[in-house]
Amino acid sequence: MMPLGMASIGDVNVIQKITGRDEVRQHLAELGFVVGETVTVVNELGGNMILSVKDSRVALDKTMAMRIMV
């Protein structure tokens, strides 16, 4: 298991665990980041990661991406 923030562009990963406070986990879940979901790293721009999850593109900053374990 590793943080999503360490994944490379083009990597397809399955979310194993989400760490952090309840509010953080709830916010990520609302964006589609839930355990068992597939997430793809599309691009990385200035400290943000562009991710593809559930047929939509989401930008997350690196600190948030580090809370998602894949």
Side-chain angles (χ1 to χ4, degrees):
M1 223 171 16
M2 69 172 184
L4 183 58
M6 307 289 286
S8 304
I9 294 170
D11 280 1
V12 177
N13 302 284
V14 176
I15 298 171
Q16 307 291 333
K17 182 181 174 188
I18 296 175
T19 64
R21 297 191 317 271
D22 287 348
E23 312 90 89
V24 172
R25 292 199 309 263
Q26 179 66 40
H27 177 66
L28 289 170
E30 285 165 5
L31 293 173
F33 297 97
V34 291
V35 173
E37 189 61 47
T38 301
V39 59
T40 307
V41 180
V42 177
N43 207 343
E44 235 176 291
L45 296 168
N48 290 327
M49 298 186 83
I50 312 299
L51 305 166
S52 176
V53 63
K54 290 194 176 179
D55 296 329
S56 54
R57 296 227 171 151
V58 180
L60 274 191
D61 75 353
K62 266 280 176 60
T63 53
M64 287 296 256
M66 294 304 263
R67 294 165 188 244
I68 301 170
M69 304 304 282
V70 293

